[in-house]
Every structure is written in structure tokens, then in C-alpha cells.
Amino acid sequence: MGSPQNTILVDRHGQEPWWKAATFYQVYPASFKDSNGDGWGDLPGLISKLDYLDDLGVDCVWVCPIFESPQADMGYDVSDYRKIHAPYGTLADVDTLVRECHARQMKVILDLVVNHTSIEHQWFKESRSSKDNPKRSWYIWKPPRFDEHGNRQPPTNWRGYFAGSTWAWDETTSEYYLHLYAPEQPDLNWDNPECRAAIYQETMRFWLDRGVDGFRIDTVNKFSKHADYTDAPISDPNSSLQPAPEMWCNGPRIHEFIHEMNREVLAPYSAVSVGELSNTPDPQSVLPYVSAKRQELDMVFEFSAIRLGNGNLFGGKYSYQPFTLPTLKAMTSKWQRFIDGTDGWTTVFCENHDNGRAVSRFGDTSTHEFWRRSAKTLALWQTTMTGSLFLYQGQEIGMTNMPAAWGIEEYKDIEAVNFYNEAVASGDQARIDKTKHGLSILARDHSRIPFQWSEEPNAGFCSGEASPWMRVHDDCGTINVEAQTGDPESILEFYRGMLKLRKKHRNVFVFGRHVLLEPEDEHVWIYLKEEQGGDGASTRKRALVVMNFSREERPLLDVAAALGCEGEAARFLVGTDGVESKISSLKGWEGRIYCNFEVAV
């Protein structure tokens, strides 16, 4: 059995596991760094940039799927869990990545995609070959229904995440199979114990034995479906297909399955686990997944905040819904506080591979100056939150959404393409326009364009002679690592400093209690971070975070009163503008932190 170094304890009185105070960095490998000139990012390219990640302050690298795949959904359709998709490299490259990360005291987690496989996976090929094949029940098969005219219909009226039915007809055995996502991604049947055992052995132990330190677990709360497979209620009278997440999220056996996964694999290897938990907006439903005594997952991603602006997750997902700062504040506070008084843990993130860029959604890109200021303010927000911090590649340099002038042909993602084509097929111009507008803000493609390393051709992502798999951003000449390195005013250097500050004062920022102040203020975001435990309330360390989320100058509250200390005891810790401003107001898109403890010079 492998022996990852996950038992190292750090932080709060030496009693917390390493991953709680860690900064995780998500790499979308196709777009991070191309080493061989084929226009596709690869593992050698990632390995060549490990010193950059180490210098940034990264503790763990999360690598999105690199397994063998037909790439119907950018690797989230795995055809062989033990092989590497050739454009990414080889198994030896993974071994090198793990070895080189560990040499820098960084860890590595992989993306575990086991709600579904590719249609090309050998398990599915066997399952579809005949109704009596031993692997038939490793997937979910159902006979057709027939309407009053004798026309064949899917088993249920469920609409999938990528548009269309969740059921695909298979001529080989004249039955439908379930796929919550694309037809090329058939869902595994977790109710089958042999299937679960194979998942544990071939998709988890195989990689843990090679030294990886854990997994981000894709669609973790969809493993257990409601087995009666009944129609969803009609919520969209204009469609024959209906959204039905209640039929497959948080199903009747989900906690049994995840506890078993932990007992059989995660715990024996001391492997860290972070689950993708969608459609679970109630904290009381999330806590069982992350409660230490339940022995399921270490932490999960809950998406209420990052999904602000989306319509519903199905037909209207890309009908953009504007939101206010109080809404974002309330949502953030809710998921900061839901672990209070419990043995659970939480995560901090505002970007990932499935959403538009944070500075384009929560910040201000109207001018170059507001872009820089707002990106630094977002950095201040993220690095002062309670929980394990997750950064997405390019977030640290303020990468933005694709230019609005780019045409729809630049969108490559299966979800964006399907939703746009569905709108076009409707013939409704208003719907088409709404979809295009929503995609320009929210589409997954925005986070997937090539990483911007330098002013060189193709932004240094690949050679100038290569043709990158996605178009390089028009602003790469001004927004890139090379331009920001060493610039004390840059977003990159601010992130580097804030990650050090976060670790230095981890008991306040990582483990501290979050208290939202002035929740209804539509321009200024203020919260208190307070060290927990200690000798008493009067001696606890506190930090006050104040951020102006508008372009106009705003008044600054009484800092000492908010910190609960005498005036001279309130100290300036750090700010997005560098030195403390003596004026009693915040500039547009300015953020500051004040504290009640001594600040080392």
C-alpha cells in the first residue's frame, strides 16, 4: 500500500491535518502549458512550472482529468482509468509530477470521475453487449415506454445537464441507458457491489499506490439514484423534458456509499478528499458529508455563491440573473458559518473550470485600473476566508472572460454548444440573444482558454508556430505572469503576499470565526475574523476586513469599535493599495485589513 504524507499535522495547536490550512491550485492541463508544440497542454509542461507554483505559495496541485478519453467532455468521460490520454503524456510523467511535487513539499490530487465512464470504456462495452452479460448491471438500463400512438419513449421525462434526455437508446439490446450528462457518458450503477469494488481498485488504489495524495471527487452526491425512476413533475410546460435533480442528487444510499469509499480506500491511505456537491443548498444536508465523525469526505464544494447569475441549471441556465452585493455577502456568510460548533470543514473558492472568470463576474473589468484594483480586492476576500483555499489557474494574475467581440464559434465546450444550438432550434430570437449574453458571462469556456505566461506569441502557452486548441486571449500582452512578476502593484505579487499572510495568521484567517457586519450595504463588504478558543474573548486575535465593491469612494466605519478595542490598539495589517491611507474612506475597489494584534514590520 502507498504511504502518502497526509498524516502530517499543522496549525491550530498542532492538531489539524495539513489540508485544512493548505492552498490548493487547480490545473486544467489542456490549457496550462504545452511542452511539445502540439497546442495542447501536457504533464511535462505542468512539471516545468512547478517552481512557479511553489513560489506562489501552493501546497497542493489538483490536476483535472488526464486519463484516456475520447474527450466528449474534456476528459470527464474516461475510457481507461489506468492510462493517460496520450496528448497529456505518460504514466511515467505522472510519477515524475508526484515525485517533483513532493520534493517541493507540495502534494498532488487527481480528479476522480466515477459517477459515469466513457461509452468507450471496456466496462460499458461489455455491459451493452447483451442483457445477460455479467457487467450488464454495472450501468443503468431500462426498457422503453410507449405512448398512445405506439411511439417509443424514454423511461422517464428527465432532462439532462447538457440538454436533451438523460436516456439514450441502444439498438444492441433494445433498451435505454441512463446518462445525466452527454450520451457518451453512461452512468455507473453504484447499487452493484462488484461495480463499486472495481471502482475502488482500478480508479483509486491504483493511483494512491503511485503516490498521489487524494482526489477531488466529481459529482459525488449523484452516485445513488432514486431507484423507482418515475417522471419528474412538470416545471417547464413548454418542454417534454423536465429538470429532475431530486431524482439523482443525495439519493437514498449516498451516505452508505461514501462511507464505504472512505473505509475501503480513503482512510487506509490517509488520502484527502474534496467532493463536488451540487444541488444541495441546505447546510443541514451538507454537514453529514463533511462531519469528521461520519467518516465520509474531508470537505466539499458547495456552489450557491459561485452559481450566482445562473438561471436554473437546466433549460434556463444561461439566462443571466443579475444579483446584488448583499446577496453575495449573505451566501458567503452562510457557507462560512455552517460549520460553526460542528466537526465539519469548508472550502473557499470563487473560480473553477466550470464557471466564468471571477474578476469578470464579481469584479470590474470596465477599465484596466478597475480590473487591477478589483482583482486584488477579490484576492483579499478569498485569502481571508475560513476553510481550505482553492485557486484556479490564472486567477492569481486576474485572467478575464473571453472578449465579448468573439463569435460563438470560439465556444468549444459541449454544454455551451448544446445550449446555444437548443436556443437556435427554438427559433426564438429573444432566447437566442439571452443565451448568447449568458454565455458571454457564465460559460465554462472562459476558464479554459490558454494560460497567459508572457508576451510571447500564444502567450507563452505554446510555441509561436503551434496552433493552440483554444484561442489565446486578446489581452495576453498585458495580463500575463511575466509582466506581473516583480511588480509590487500587480495582482500576482499581491496574491503571493496574501498567501503568506494567510499562513502566518492562520488561526484568524483559516480557522477563525466569520462574522458579517452591515449585511445590507450595497457597496461595502465588511466582516470580522476572530480567533477561536484561547484565553478569553478579550484576548482573542481579531481582524477586520473592509472592501469597497464599487467604483466610488465610500466612507470607512469606526475600525476600533468594530474590532472591539481602543483606538490605538487597532492596527493596519495590509491593503490592496499597499500602505495605509490616512483618509477615513475607501477608494473605489479598495480593500484593507485591520487587526487588534501586533504587526511585525
Side-chain angles (χ1 to χ4, degrees):
M1 180 183 296
S3 182
Q5 304 166 5
N6 289 353
T7 55
I8 298 173
L9 297 178
V10 297
D11 307 315
R12 224 168 23 165
H13 316 300
Q15 299 300 310
E16 299 291 356
W18 69 268
W19 43 266
K20 285 193 173 183
T23 295
F24 292 75
Y25 187 95
Q26 182 185 359
V27 170
Y28 198 72
S31 299
F32 192 62
K33 177 62 179 172
D34 169 28
S35 71
N36 59 9
D38 65 357
W40 185 271
D42 48 45
L43 288 167
L46 168 56
I47 293 165
S48 74
K49 295 298 184 180
L50 290 180
D51 284 341
Y52 165 77
L53 298 181
D54 188 23
D55 184 57
L56 177 62
V58 170
D59 300 296
C60 183
V61 180
W62 156 21
V63 186
C64 285
I66 50 175
F67 313 114
E68 188 174 88
S69 166
Q71 300 295 314
D73 183 22
M74 288 302 295
Y76 285 89
D77 52 316
V78 181
S79 55
D80 194 325
Y81 292 98
R82 296 184 174 207
K83 293 181 180 178
I84 301 301
H85 185 53
Y88 288 129
T90 65
L91 283 173
D93 290 327
V94 179
D95 294 339
T96 300
L97 174 66
V98 171
R99 183 175 63 251
E100 291 298 318
C101 280
H102 288 173
R104 292 166 175 80
Q105 304 303 308
M106 294 192 295
K107 300 184 186 295
V108 182
I109 64 172
L110 300 182
D111 225 313
L112 182 67
V113 187
V114 288
N115 174 72
H116 46 265
T117 68
S118 165
I119 202 170
E120 298 298 325
H121 197 288
Q122 184 60 34
W123 295 348
F124 187 73
K125 289 180 179 179
E126 293 183 41
S127 183
R128 79 189 309 181
S129 65
S130 70
K131 290 183 179 179
D132 57 2
N133 184 277
K135 288 189 175 60
R136 180 65 171 186
S137 62
W138 284 33
Y139 294 83
I140 299 168
W141 295 90
K142 296 293 177 185
R145 297 187 297 183
F146 294 91
D147 62 21
E148 64 272 19
H149 304 294
N151 299 312
R152 187 185 73 232
Q153 300 293 331
T156 69
N157 65 348
W158 300 352
R159 176 191 168 95
Y161 285 95
F162 293 163
S165 173
T166 60
W167 299 96
W169 177 251
D170 189 67
E171 292 286 354
T172 307
T173 58
S174 297
E175 284 195 331
Y176 286 89
Y177 63 85
L178 181 71
H179 60 90
L180 299 184
Y181 295 91
E184 295 86 354
Q185 296 168 285
D187 278 49
L188 287 161
N189 179 19
W190 275 70
D191 286 322
N192 185 305
E194 293 180 354
C195 178
R196 298 200 305 276
I199 289 170
Y200 302 153
Q201 183 61 31
E202 296 194 25
T203 76
M204 299 181 73
R205 295 191 189 100
F206 177 82
W207 291 106
L208 293 169
D209 285 337
R210 297 187 87 95
V212 304
D213 300 289
F215 302 100
R216 175 267 188 183
I217 307 176
D218 188 62
T219 61
V220 74
N221 60 332
K222 297 173 184 171
F223 299 166
S224 174
K225 278 74 172 177
H226 288 273
D228 48 0
Y229 294 97
T230 57
D231 278 347
I234 305 298
S235 59
D236 181 0
N238 298 316
S239 175
S240 61
L241 299 174
Q242 303 300 315
E246 69 278 6
M247 302 296 186
W248 60 69
C249 284
N250 309 309
R253 300 185 68 188
I254 190 63
H255 292 291
E256 172 193 346
F257 293 157
I258 297 178
H259 179 73
E260 179 186 82
M261 174 190 283
N262 182 75
R263 183 186 70 241
E264 295 295 319
V265 186
L266 296 171
Y269 285 85
S270 296
V272 65
S273 59
V274 53
E276 181 189 31
L277 201 75
S278 63
N279 300 302
T280 313
D282 178 13
Q284 293 308 308
S285 298
V286 175
L287 274 171
Y289 288 97
V290 297
S291 166
K293 67 177 177 289
R294 293 284 296 253
Q295 298 181 353
E296 294 187 18
L297 300 169
D298 292 322
M299 48 192 161
V300 297
F301 296 128
E302 198 288 325
F303 296 109
S304 295
I306 202 173
R307 290 274 164 80
L308 286 174
N310 286 121
N312 67 62
L313 286 180
F314 296 88
K317 178 176 181 179
Y318 289 109
S319 179
Y320 182 69
Q321 307 294 316
F323 57 91
T324 64
L325 180 62
T327 300
L328 178 59
K329 289 194 281 188
M331 200 68 72
T332 300
S333 179
K334 173 182 177 180
W335 294 105
Q336 283 282 283
R337 297 295 301 270
F338 92 103
I339 59 171
D340 285 0
T342 76
D343 62 351
W345 193 239
T346 192
T347 54
V348 183
F349 65 104
C350 66
E351 283 198 30
N352 63 22
H353 64 296
D354 282 336
N355 291 274
R357 289 289 184 175
V359 71
S360 297
R361 300 179 59 215
F362 306 117
D364 188 338
T365 58
S366 60
T367 68
H368 184 80
E369 180 63 12
F370 282 136
W371 157 77
R372 184 183 62 83
R373 297 179 67 85
S374 66
K376 291 169 73 172
T377 298
L378 295 184
L380 193 77
W381 165 37
Q382 290 293 286
T383 54
T384 55
M385 291 280 104
T386 300
S388 299
L389 176 62
F390 287 77
L391 301 180
Y392 181 73
Q393 64 180 49
Q395 181 178 342
E396 75 277 16
I397 59 171
M399 283 183 65
T400 61
N401 279 357
M402 302 187 305
W406 284 10
I408 195 69
E409 70 277 2
E410 300 295 348
Y411 292 79
K412 310 298 183 186
D413 175 45
I414 184 174
E415 182 181 71
V417 171
N418 285 2
F419 271 74
Y420 180 73
N421 288 342
E422 186 179 54
V424 170
S426 74
D428 182 343
Q429 189 60 49
R431 180 178 175 184
I432 296 171
D433 293 342
K434 277 186 178 181
T435 301
K436 288 177 69 175
H437 175 65
L439 288 171
S440 73
I441 302 170
L442 304 168
R444 307 197 301 179
D445 295 88
H446 296 300
S447 61
R448 302 179 181 192
I449 62 175
F451 189 94
Q452 293 155 209
W453 291 104
S454 69
E455 297 180 20
E456 297 175 357
N458 288 325
F461 160 70
C462 58
S463 66
E465 297 75 30
S467 178
W469 77 279
M470 284 191 78
R471 183 174 171 179
V472 173
H473 202 293
D474 297 347
D475 288 341
C476 63
T478 55
I479 303 177
N480 62 71
V481 169
E482 185 178 69
Q484 295 189 29
T485 299
D487 176 2
E489 301 300 314
S490 73
I491 301 161
L492 176 59
E493 295 300 344
F494 188 74
Y495 261 106
R496 284 178 173 148
M498 286 303 301
L499 291 178
K500 290 177 183 177
L501 190 76
R502 176 178 172 83
K503 285 187 171 67
K504 181 178 181 180
H505 302 294
R506 54 175 61 94
N507 284 355
V508 176
F509 296 125
V510 177
F511 298 106
R513 182 170 176 262
H514 179 281
V515 181
L516 178 64
L517 305 179
E518 302 190 17
E520 299 306 317
D521 191 311
E522 296 191 355
H523 308 289
V524 179
W525 192 346
I526 309 168
Y527 50 86
L528 192 69
K529 294 301 300 292
E530 183 178 55
E531 182 180 22
Q532 303 194 64
D535 298 327
S538 62
T539 60
R540 289 174 189 163
K541 291 182 178 180
R542 296 184 183 87
L544 183 73
V545 182
V546 291
M547 301 176 292
N548 183 358
F549 268 59
S550 74
R551 300 173 190 174
E552 291 74 33
E553 191 170 297
R554 303 289 174 184
L556 184 65
L557 82 171
D558 185 332
V559 170
L563 280 170
C565 60
E566 298 297 327
E568 289 302 314
R571 301 172 177 90
F572 174 77
L573 181 60
V574 70
T576 55
D577 283 10
V579 297
E580 179 184 13
S581 171
K582 298 301 182 183
I583 60 174
S584 59
S585 61
L586 293 168
K587 298 176 186 176
W589 286 106
E590 181 187 2
R592 301 181 205 162
I593 305 176
Y594 294 89
C595 63
N596 69 344
F597 49 84
E598 291 290 340
V599 179
V601 179

